[in-house]
Amino acid sequence: MDLRYTEQDQAFRQQVRAWLEEHVPRRKLESLDEKKAWHRKLYEAGYLGMGWPSEYGGRDARPMEQAIVGEEMVRAKAPAPVNGLGISIVGPTLIHHGTEEQKQRHIQKILTAEEIWCQLYSEPNAGSDLASLQCRADVDGDEFVINGQKVWTSGAHNSDWGLMLARTDRSAPKHQGISCILVDMSSPGVEVRPLTQLSGSSEFSEVFFTNVRVPADNLVGEMNAGWRIAQTTLSYERGGNTLSRYTRMQESYNRLLEVVRTVKRNGTALIDDPHIRWRLGKVFADMEVLRYASLRILSRLERGERPGPEASIAKLHYSELDKAIQEVFLDILGPYGQQIAGLPDEIALEQDTEEFEPGSWAYSFAWSRAGTIYAGSSEIQKNILGERVLGLPKEVRADRVQAAAQKAESGGNGEN
Amino acid sequence: MQFDFNEDQVMLRNLVREFLTDQCPTSHVREMLTSDSGFDRDVYRQFVQLGILPFPERYGGGDLGMVEQAIILEEMGRVPYPGPYFPTVILAGSALQSSGDENAMARFLPDVCNGDLVLTLAFMEDDTGWSPNSINAEVTKDGDTVTLNGRKRFVPFAASADVILVVAREPGSTGKNGVSLIAVPKDSPGVSFGQEKMFDVTQRTSTLTFDNVSLPAENIVGTAGEAGRALESTAERAAVGAAAEMLGASRRSLEMATEYAKERKQFGQYIGQFQAVKHMLAEMLEKVENGHSAVYYAAWAQDDNAPDRALAASVAKSTMNQASRKVCGDAVQVMGGIGFTWEHDLHFYFKRSKHLEVHYGDVDHHYARVLDEVLAGRTAGAEV
């Protein structure tokens, strides 16, 4: 064991910090164009797609360097890159599974935010049970014809392209009839309707597809191999970036420490209340464990190990912890914690939201409720841990029973 | 950045696991339940002679760090090992080393390292606190003689200890000022032992009474009245060590409950197929893995003398207190009726964890310390 940052890492951190101090925009970015300009600046500095191979515009950076950039961006209150899903999901998917032509066509534009991407996965009836998705892509000559609906699509209203999972073989067992397809969001027949969320903001949309025609060349990987591809992209979502999530929590905690020293309740400064002190101690201890666990994951990534099912521990941990911590913050702050705007300066939370909108304690609290739902709910993570890490037998599930009955009937070799 | 064990550390873990599997199976743990001392002196001696102690080589130790001690204690938690390793090596041993008293170390450590000397630390008193404010036992110095008066409780393996390091204060002193450490041979006149029977039946603890115990002044370890810092450091190592032992007990409990959930059928299916059980086991796994991160980070912070080493020790102990309660408790739940029997080994882990929860600082103690360290700025930012 050796948990010291190397001199090389520390020098890199200083370099990133200095760059951010000089370049982070002093005022809030208003338009999409301004956000894209900031994104390009980050890319040109070498801080986006860092881990990608250099032949595709990356820097072959080590996971530690990527983590350092993530941490320093949070610390510097830097706006996030505008093409988050393009960078975190789509780019790596194309690098691993795309054709050379797809790579040449899209990867550079993802890096420069010339193409903004969204992820067209979830459907009204396919959430946790994603493989039951029904949106169809039927082959017609050298085109797919897409019909169906997607929902909870982050950033769809700003997106030029979408990475879609669609059903391409309805007779196959559900995991084996899905393909991964690149969809131009400006195609005729695509309709995006923004949704307003519990938080009051509107980052998600529902997207409707009516006879949308997509060239067959937009298929990623093999026909009907979409599920396996999606499994690898979901694991990019889980695990690798927990250190920057920790940093975000820590920033809120540090702010709370300032607040509890100035705010009084029942005539006593909050910091002198033994119950509040107990909670502040517990929250910090719990956050530290997230930091230690993040370093443990990072040290594995540094050795070239990919996050396996164990990434579910990290996902479960930070999302459930965030929920617990936000509850404590609101307990301590009382009604101020639920005030959305106009808080006294000595209480306001300056930190921006996950989406880098101006934040409030209440807004962060609201978003903590999303974390245990998206990217595989806590219940799904527990299934993964139980079955794939502990090796417990799979549960009896209606769809498996049905598939087994069909298989017995047809004498086929469907696998589930 | 390397969080996982290096090759030597993996070898150490394997060595300790093999030894304990061979010499200390649960059948042996059960045999020891009815013995007076609660442990087998030969097994203890052989174990210590593996050369794995943290003390300097000049005293016969293996010069190993706290990470290595955490590895050893995690393995002990998996047995759970009955015996005085923790009080001898982690409590008294750390106190001796932290005192910087070369004479005391030269006097005791060589015999500790060859397994002939069992030590313990008598800290806790009637109020069962784990801070200097709880110390009321008094030591007075008169020329070349010191006199000790007071009562200690829950002193681990005191009845088997050859020498007891007793924490006492100068009359009139408060807090960590005026606190001394006195080496008291067990047969000193005025020392009386009262055995306590505990819920963790693998433990042997005693109430010790010191009634005008008179000793040569050279039995003061370190400088008289200045043991406060050495005891703080000892308390940190004890917290990390206890957390490591709880981690071992928790991981073993999780393994047993998982195996059971794969074999036991009810309603025509394995109980591990029910999400109610599967999710409970998944949560236990999360607690165990996070506990691992906390324990070994804290152990490393001790070895590295990191600025957040006190903080990390308190994080590790409070985390494992909560984790082991959940994991060892839920293991009993998963195993149902069989988990509630004396015959099944599961209860040993449940009880060892419960025992360690209230020693070396409970959650309230450690959460308070965490906040104190944070407010004092003794944290490790990423910039360290």
Side-chain angles (χ1 to χ4, degrees), chain A residues 81-368:
Chain A
V82 69
N83 204 9
L85 283 169
I87 299 289
S88 62
I89 306 281
V90 183
T93 301
L94 289 179
I95 288 170
H96 284 96
H97 305 285
T99 63
E100 195 50 42
E101 209 179 338
Q102 288 166 350
K103 292 176 192 177
Q104 294 303 333
R105 178 162 176 195
H106 297 295
I107 285 181
Q108 184 68 22
K109 288 181 176 170
I110 289 171
L111 286 169
T112 57
E114 280 168 83
E115 285 177 1
I116 307 285
W117 283 73
C118 60
Q119 194 181 15
L120 301 161
Y121 281 20
S122 296
E123 296 182 9
N125 291 313
S128 287
D129 185 11
L130 184 59
S132 70
L133 58 88
Q134 292 302 319
C135 181
R136 294 163 53 173
D138 300 321
V139 177
D140 180 23
D142 55 1
E143 288 181 323
F144 288 111
V145 180
I146 298 172
N147 280 286
Q149 184 192 346
K150 295 289 175 180
V151 76
W152 319 130
T153 310
S154 302
H157 53 297
N158 286 332
S159 291
D160 305 297
W161 282 83
L163 179 72
M164 172 182 272
L165 289 181
R167 188 152 303 280
T168 40
D169 183 351
R170 276 177 291 156
S171 64
K174 65 180 186 180
H175 293 86
Q176 291 167 34
I178 296 170
S179 296
C180 184
I181 300 167
L182 309 175
V183 179
D184 183 342
M185 295 292 281
S186 66
S187 310
V190 177
E191 189 196 347
V192 177
R193 294 185 201 155
L195 292 168
T196 303
Q197 294 122 211
L198 178 151
S199 58
S201 57
S202 188
E203 289 91 3
F204 293 169
S205 296
E206 47 186 351
V207 187
F208 297 84
F209 298 86
T210 314
N211 292 320
V212 175
R213 302 190 83 85
V214 171
D217 289 346
N218 286 14
L219 176 71
V220 179
E222 305 266 307
M223 191 73 170
N224 297 321
W227 184 253
R228 192 175 48 79
I229 294 170
Q231 290 300 104
T232 58
T233 63
L234 281 173
S235 76
Y236 305 138
E237 275 188 273
R238 292 171 195 152
N241 53 355
T242 46
L243 204 55
S244 59
R245 289 175 194 274
Y246 161 80
T247 311
R248 182 174 298 280
M249 287 179 191
Q250 191 197 32
E251 296 275 312
S252 297
Y253 183 92
N254 289 343
R255 176 63 183 148
L256 186 69
L257 278 187
E258 292 171 4
V259 173
V260 294
R261 282 189 245 224
T262 54
V263 174
K264 288 184 175 182
R265 186 174 298 140
N266 299 323
T268 310
L270 294 178
I271 188 69
D272 294 327
D273 179 328
H275 293 101
I276 286 177
R277 289 183 73 88
W278 191 94
R279 287 164 169 228
L280 287 171
K282 175 172 170 49
V283 164
F284 197 89
D286 291 346
M287 290 192 330
E288 279 296 277
V289 177
L290 180 64
R291 185 171 75 84
Y292 308 156
S294 305
L295 294 176
R296 190 172 165 206
I297 292 172
L298 200 50
S299 101
R300 293 238 166 119
L301 291 171
E302 283 276 284
R303 280 209 316 248
E305 294 174 24
R306 295 213 51 81
E310 298 82 4
S312 291
I313 294 177
K315 204 279 171 172
L316 186 61
H317 184 195
Y318 72 67
S319 61
E320 292 291 343
L321 177 61
D322 190 35
K323 221 156 65 172
I325 285 178
Q326 298 294 341
E327 292 284 6
V328 173
F329 288 178
L330 261 63
D331 280 347
I332 291 175
L333 291 161
Y336 290 123
Q338 296 181 40
Q339 188 174 352
I340 290 172
L343 271 87
D345 286 347
E346 68 270 24
I347 301 175
L349 178 68
E350 290 163 16
Q351 184 183 341
D352 285 350
T353 65
E354 195 87 12
E355 274 59 45
F356 289 84
E357 298 294 327
S360 63
W361 297 99
Y363 198 89
S364 297
F365 167 73
W367 268 100
S368 75

Side-chain angles (χ1 to χ4, degrees), chain B residues 205-228:
Chain B
T205 65
S206 300
T207 300
L208 301 188
T209 310
F210 303 92
D211 184 12
N212 282 319
V213 177
S214 183
L215 295 162
E218 69 199 34
N219 282 33
I220 293 176
V221 175
T223 308
E226 290 177 17

Side-chain angles (χ1 to χ4, degrees), chain A residues 342-405:
Chain A
L343 271 87
D345 286 347
E346 68 270 24
I347 301 175
L349 178 68
E350 290 163 16
Q351 184 183 341
D352 285 350
T353 65
E354 195 87 12
E355 274 59 45
F356 289 84
E357 298 294 327
S360 63
W361 297 99
Y363 198 89
S364 297
F365 167 73
W367 268 100
S368 75
R369 290 280 147 180
T372 54
I373 300 169
Y374 63 59
S377 68
S378 291
E379 290 70 27
I380 292 294
Q381 307 302 337
K382 288 176 195 174
N383 282 348
I384 293 171
L385 293 176
E387 293 173 11
R388 295 194 218 156
V389 180
L390 294 175
L392 294 167
K394 290 187 172 185
E395 68 190 286
V396 178
R397 245 171 36 191
D399 61 344
R400 286 187 187 136
V401 172
Q402 214 173 347

Side-chain angles (χ1 to χ4, degrees), chain B residues 197-368:
Chain B
K197 200 168 163 91
M198 302 305 292
F199 180 58
D200 176 2
V201 283
T202 64
Q203 294 291 334
R204 293 292 182 275
T205 65
S206 300
T207 300
L208 301 188
T209 310
F210 303 92
D211 184 12
N212 282 319
V213 177
S214 183
L215 295 162
E218 69 199 34
N219 282 33
I220 293 176
V221 175
T223 308
E226 290 177 17
R229 276 188 65 86
L231 287 167
E232 255 174 38
S233 167
T234 302
E236 286 170 21
R237 290 171 69 88
V240 178
E245 205 173 317
M246 296 165 98
L247 175 63
S250 298
R251 202 181 274 283
R252 187 74 195 104
S253 297
L254 171 62
E255 288 169 5
M256 291 169 113
T258 303
E259 286 315 305
Y260 187 76
K262 290 177 187 176
E263 290 163 5
R264 168 76 171 168
K265 279 188 166 181
Q266 287 287 275
F267 304 102
Q269 65 175 56
Y270 299 107
I271 61 167
Q273 290 180 281
F274 292 111
Q275 285 197 352
V277 174
K278 181 175 288 172
H279 286 190
M280 200 186 275
L281 289 164
E283 288 163 13
M284 290 156 71
L285 172 68
E286 186 210 350
K287 299 285 176 212
V288 166
E289 292 301 337
N290 287 336
H292 176 102
S293 300
V295 164
Y296 287 99
Y297 181 94
W300 170 81
Q302 288 290 317
D303 290 340
D304 198 60
N305 199 19
D308 60 334
R309 67 194 185 103
L311 170 68
S314 286
V315 170
K317 183 59 165 53
S318 54
T319 298
M320 274 320 304
N321 270 14
Q322 303 232 329
S324 72
R325 176 181 290 198
K326 156 98 184 153
V327 175
C328 298
D330 281 0
V332 174
Q333 180 69 20
V334 168
M335 300 197 61
I338 193 78
F340 195 69
T341 63
W342 190 271
E343 186 188 348
H344 201 281
D345 294 334
L346 192 63
H347 68 101
F348 291 130
Y349 305 102
F350 179 72
K351 291 169 180 172
R352 176 63 61 90
S353 289
K354 203 73 202 160
H355 177 85
L356 291 171
E357 258 190 48
V358 295
H359 283 280
Y360 321 117
D362 60 12
V363 284
D364 294 343
H365 173 91
H366 284 295
Y367 286 157

Side-chain angles (χ1 to χ4, degrees), chain B residues 31-222:
Chain B
E31 265 174 51
M32 291 301 109
L33 295 182
T34 49
S35 75
D36 280 347
S37 67
F39 73 106
D40 183 316
R41 195 104 191 187
D42 285 339
V43 172
Y44 176 77
R45 190 176 286 113
Q46 285 173 45
F47 185 75
V48 166
Q49 286 175 354
L50 292 174
I52 55 178
L53 298 195
F55 310 118
E57 281 172 13
R58 63 181 183 278
Y59 301 126
D63 219 355
L64 295 176
M66 194 62 209
V67 170
E68 284 75 14
Q69 292 310 307
I71 288 170
I72 293 165
L73 288 160
E74 182 181 350
E75 290 305 315
M76 288 184 157
R78 292 176 62 91
V79 177
Y81 172 75
Y85 186 88
F86 195 96
T88 302
V89 175
I90 303 299
L91 296 177
S94 299
L96 283 169
Q97 265 195 294
S98 309
S99 76
D101 185 335
E102 291 289 339
N103 289 334
M105 283 190 265
R107 184 173 161 195
F108 298 121
L109 290 182
D111 283 339
V112 165
C113 291
N114 63 33
D116 288 338
L117 195 70
V118 169
L119 304 176
T120 193
L121 180 75
F123 186 103
M124 198 176 259
E125 300 190 4
D126 290 2
D127 87 348
T128 68
W130 184 243
S131 70
N133 292 336
S134 296
I135 299 163
N136 288 305
E138 286 191 347
V139 58
T140 52
K141 195 174 171 201
D142 184 13
D144 292 340
T145 305
V146 292
T147 305
L148 184 61
N149 278 290
R151 182 164 57 204
K152 295 287 179 180
R153 288 197 188 271
F154 308 108
V155 183
F157 288 93
S160 302
D162 304 294
V163 177
I164 301 148
L165 299 187
V166 180
V167 181
R169 65 167 63 258
E170 291 167 0
S173 67
T174 55
K176 66 182 173 188
N177 299 316
V179 173
S180 297
L181 198 57
I182 302 105
V184 181
K186 68 185 289 191
D187 45 11
S188 306
V191 182
S192 56
F193 293 74
Q195 184 141 7
E196 300 151 349
K197 200 168 163 91
M198 302 305 292
F199 180 58
D200 176 2
V201 283
T202 64
Q203 294 291 334
R204 293 292 182 275
T205 65
S206 300
T207 300
L208 301 188
T209 310
F210 303 92
D211 184 12
N212 282 319
V213 177
S214 183
L215 295 162
E218 69 199 34
N219 282 33
I220 293 176
V221 175

